[in-house]
Amino acid sequence: MEPRNNTKISKCLLLGLAEEIELQPLIFGLFLFMYLITVFGNLLIILAVSSDSHLHTPMYFFLSNLSFVDICFISTTIPKMLWNVQMQSQVITYEGCITQMYFYILFGALDDFLLAVMAYDRYVAICHPLHYTVIMNPWLCGCLVLASWIISAVYSLLHSLMVLHLSFCSDLEIHHFFCETKQLVQLACYNTFLNDTTLCFGAVIMGGGPLTGILYSYSKIVSSICGISSAHGKYKAFSTCVSHLSIVSLFYFSGLGVYLGSAGTHSSHSSATGSVMYTVVTPMLNPFIYSLRNKDIKRALKRFFGMENFIKGPFSLGLKKCP
């Protein structure tokens, strides 16, 4: 069959999670609920951190950035899915599909890097407490976040440009609820060896690199905690890592489960269903994991809702050195 250049393709079809019409209202209600909970919960984290000067520290600076990225991450895919379900349509423009793919990769990679940066912050706080304020200064914190944005943007742009150069022989029917890179590549009608190699290499570098940093940081943290003599000291040190460790486990295990499972079964439907875990469930649970176990966040939220006048500049995330 003669390859058809992708510039002639004007739209794609997102087949979603289920084609049964009777399930659409249930899917719409469930995902709308999870989306609103995610946006509201992460927004509360941002407002709590920005409104309370006691939380203007590196750890909460990174947490507020993670919450912002999670809002963007879920907003990349779910609103379009809800719109399609409500309008009983499966159409997304080709340009919209590429744009969605770009931002999905961007914010997914940012999540990855920010989790690694937060692990490094905990490593410095526990293993080098006397030098924490010197090492984790505002300049370094800003540079770490900026570097994460730049690397993620370049990585996402690389994949988007490579997909733009693919040719397709038929209309794009994507068995997913968003434009997933791997499925777009599989729909191409000529040799995609370069794209497949880039996907695998990128997954190893962008996923394995931050994960290696996280594992190294926690190996040092565990070693340092074991050296603490008092049981209370061990509990206090480890309790500062529990929330972050929970999110890291949820993010990586769900992501690895999806890709390893889809590689074993070759089922697009199982991949789409499994990806709900790290695209929707993980961002939704982040605020609960941090707020339920964090007295500082709870205290800041109580203060925020107890204010008579709305604080000026609620999104200014200034940093203050820890005592």
Side-chain angles (χ1 to χ4, degrees):
M1 182 179 292
E2 184 70 15
R4 188 173 73 184
N5 191 275
N6 58 359
T7 56
K8 296 182 180 180
I9 296 177
S10 60
K11 63 181 181 179
C12 310
L13 296 179
L14 297 175
L15 302 185
L17 295 172
E19 297 183 5
E20 293 82 356
I21 298 178
E22 59 271 15
L23 292 179
Q24 299 306 310
L26 175 62
I27 292 176
F28 180 84
L30 178 62
F31 277 82
L32 177 61
F33 173 77
M34 290 191 292
Y35 177 72
L36 293 177
I37 290 295
T38 302
V39 173
F40 182 71
N42 282 287
L43 188 58
L44 283 180
I45 295 292
I46 296 173
L47 292 175
V49 173
S50 60
S51 63
D52 194 331
S53 60
H54 295 90
L55 301 184
H56 292 178
T57 61
M59 181 179 75
Y60 292 109
F61 172 69
F62 296 134
L63 175 59
S64 60
N65 275 272
L66 181 67
S67 294
F68 173 75
V69 170
D70 280 340
I71 292 175
C72 297
F73 188 42
I74 194 172
S75 297
T76 301
T77 56
I78 300 305
K80 178 58 180 175
M81 173 194 175
L82 295 175
W83 174 265
N84 281 1
V85 172
Q86 182 67 17
M87 302 303 295
Q88 297 184 356
S89 171
Q90 297 175 323
V91 175
I92 182 173
T93 64
Y94 182 72
E95 294 78 9
C97 187
I98 298 299
T99 302
Q100 186 185 67
M101 183 188 69
Y102 172 82
F103 284 107
Y104 171 79
I105 298 174
L106 169 64
F107 294 120
L110 269 171
D111 252 339
D112 208 5
F113 279 111
L114 286 176
L115 289 175
V117 169
M118 293 171 75
Y120 175 71
D121 172 73
R122 292 299 84 207
Y123 157 72
V124 176
I126 294 175
C127 299
H128 304 283
L130 298 179
H131 301 93
Y132 179 73
T133 57
V134 177
I135 298 174
M136 300 304 295
N137 57 76
W139 184 85
L140 177 63
C141 293
C143 286
L144 288 172
V145 173
L146 180 61
S148 299
W149 274 92
I150 293 174
I151 296 173
S152 300
V154 172
Y155 175 70
S156 181
L157 182 62
L158 172 64
H159 278 294
S160 300
L161 291 176
M162 292 189 70
V163 171
L164 278 172
H165 283 84
L166 291 176
S167 295
F168 301 95
C169 302
S170 60
D171 292 332
L172 296 180
E173 294 187 356
I174 304 171
H175 294 268
H176 220 299
F177 62 92
F178 65 91
C179 295
E180 205 262 340
T181 312
K182 185 178 179 182
Q183 292 207 22
L184 279 172
V185 172
Q186 291 175 344
L187 291 172
C189 60
Y190 76 100
N191 191 356
T192 59
F193 175 77
L194 182 60
N195 294 79
D196 292 332
T197 303
T198 305
L199 280 173
C200 294
F201 185 74
V204 172
I205 298 299
M206 301 296 287
L211 180 60
T212 301
I214 292 172
L215 293 177
Y216 175 79
S217 296
Y218 274 105
S219 68
K220 293 295 184 179
I221 289 173
V222 171
S223 177
S224 180
I225 290 177
C226 290
I228 300 176
S229 57
S230 67
H232 176 72
K234 290 182 179 180
Y235 173 78
K236 186 176 180 181
F238 184 72
S239 63
T240 64
C241 304
V242 172
S243 297
H244 176 258
L245 195 57
S246 301
I247 291 176
V248 168
S249 302
L250 188 62
F251 181 81
Y252 275 98
F253 281 121
S254 60
L256 288 174
V258 169
Y259 282 99
L260 292 178
S262 62
T265 62
H266 300 284
S267 171
S268 299
H269 184 266
S270 62
S271 175
T273 305
S275 64
V276 173
M277 278 298 298
Y278 68 90
T279 57
V280 182
V281 177
T282 301
M284 181 183 68
L285 292 180
N286 284 359
F288 292 100
I289 293 174
Y290 269 99
S291 61
L292 291 177
R293 297 189 56 87
N294 195 304
K295 295 180 179 178
D296 293 331
I297 293 290
K298 290 180 181 178
R299 189 181 304 115
L301 288 174
K302 289 178 181 178
R303 289 175 181 172
F304 176 79
F305 287 109
M307 291 179 182
E308 294 182 359
N309 298 317
F310 189 81
I311 188 168
K312 295 182 179 180
F315 290 95
S316 58
L317 299 176
L319 286 175
K320 181 183 73 175
K321 291 185 178 181
C322 296

